[in-house]
Amino acid sequence: MRTVKVTSIIDPGKSYEYIDDGNPKQGGVKDVYFAPDKKYVVAFFRAPLDFNQKDRIKRIVTLYLDNIKKGNAADYFLQDIYRWPYDAVERDGKTGVIVPIYDTRFFFSKGYGANNSIKGGEKVGKWFTAPSFRNNQYPLSLDKSELGDWLSYFQIAISICRGVKKMHQMGLAHSDLSYNNVLVDPVTKSANIIDLDGLVVPGLFPPEVIGTADFIAPEVLKTKHLNISDPGRILPNQRTDLHALAVLIYMYLLRRHPLRGGKIWDLDAEKDELMAMGEKALFVEHPTDPTNRVRTDQLRKWDAFWGNPDKIPYTITGPYLSDLFRRAFIDGLHNPMLRPIANEWETALLKTVDLVQPCSNPACDEKSYIFDNTTKPVCPFCGTPHKGTLPVIDLYYKFKNDVWKPEGHRLMVYHNQYLFKWHVSRKIIRNESLAPEDKKPVGYFSFYQDKWVLVNQGLDGMKDLTEQKDIPRNAMVELGNGKRILLSNEEGGRLLYATIANQ
């Protein structure tokens, strides 16, 4: 074992050390060595890079890193969303990148329930996208303490969307977005996009790979037989990233693949795979074409619940996400221009989180579900009906003078549910650039003395329009059926309209 020192090829005044014990951690194309203080790794490409590949690396660790540092929410992206390489080195003709070490939360503390064989291993996303790993009957099931609940995966998906959105805003494409290149921690609801040294710059740096099976867009597989210089050949780009992003979100929330159904296209396994994911790709939940429906008799016992769309259809994700899944896997599956962009997924996920209703069964593994707009909602995971009345809040915005129009944004109320500034005003956008003071709740809902009430914690100008009464700070107002409350009288302020369901 020896300590090796290497010098930056960007700034010769900077140097880095790593421990070489002759047994580096091996990735797909890189050998990874740890710094003595474990604050970074030095990842060397096993094969020598050509001029273009080196130029790509240099730009990633300088120009594109600087773009993030100078942009909004730089710390958020560089600490919470990416493990972005920040320098490049060379040794013995091989190029290496300096990458910050993964946060400790992205390593398993227990791993498998049975034998802990992946304890200390990286929490790559694939562990959390299949039902088998969370089923106690399965020999390789993960320890329950590492799995989180259903809501954890909404926040994970939001983080991934923000990471993809930022890359695309900078003109980059990931090119190999998959559950192997995203680390997740359901306990802290975190996600980190890794392997960022192969980013695609359209027209400048072509992709090095076509992607990872399960996440390669149909048009890429359909044309992969063509020569790389053929104008008809489709290579990974931002639109193919959007296919991979939709697949990731579907798999995190529904724990199955949107295109792996029961249809066998060819008896040759390789040809069948090429057709099923490429030219003949078909959504397993297509509303009018049942060709690729999941064959429930082929499901393993530990996949029988989540793997069966009849039991857990994609529509349990609520109206906003269901619409995007249809656009991604029906309209946009073979027409890349129709795929939802990352920002649309982020907005839909955030609006869907406002539709969450806690499950009243304390033993429910998933803990909450999305309100399905029925009068008597039932948890789709454990079958427990909702207990008690259910206030539903619809938000309205001022169209002109005294004309209010629905915002298309609904807030489900439960005991101790918070009201935030992004509910109160159209001017506050809930994204990564949200100021700390805008993240604080300004009110909360409570079930108090057998009545649903809204308590004003921090809003001036709140008014009960039904009773024509002001609601000062620290005062409460009862939420009756048809109650109208002006949340703010400033420009962009919204009106709240309450409906009481499940009566």
Side-chain angles (χ1 to χ4, degrees), residues 24-37:
K25 190 170 180 294
Q26 292 204 311
V29 294
K30 295 190 289 284
D31 293 332
V32 179
Y33 300 88
F34 290 84
D37 62 3

Side-chain angles (χ1 to χ4, degrees), residues 48 67 121 251 261 275 294 296 324 350 366-367 379 412 498:
N67 281 351
M251 291 187 80
M275 292 168 82
V294 171
T296 52
L324 294 193
L350 289 167
E366 303 305 334
K367 302 286 183 266
C379 173
M412 296 308 302

Side-chain angles (χ1 to χ4, degrees), residues 148-169:
D149 54 42
W150 202 43
L151 206 48
S152 307
Y153 297 91
F154 281 83
Q155 194 55 54
I156 283 167
I158 288 165
S159 295
I160 298 168
C161 287
R162 287 176 175 169
V164 173
K165 176 180 74 173
K166 182 71 174 176
M167 276 189 267
H168 287 187
Q169 284 170 346

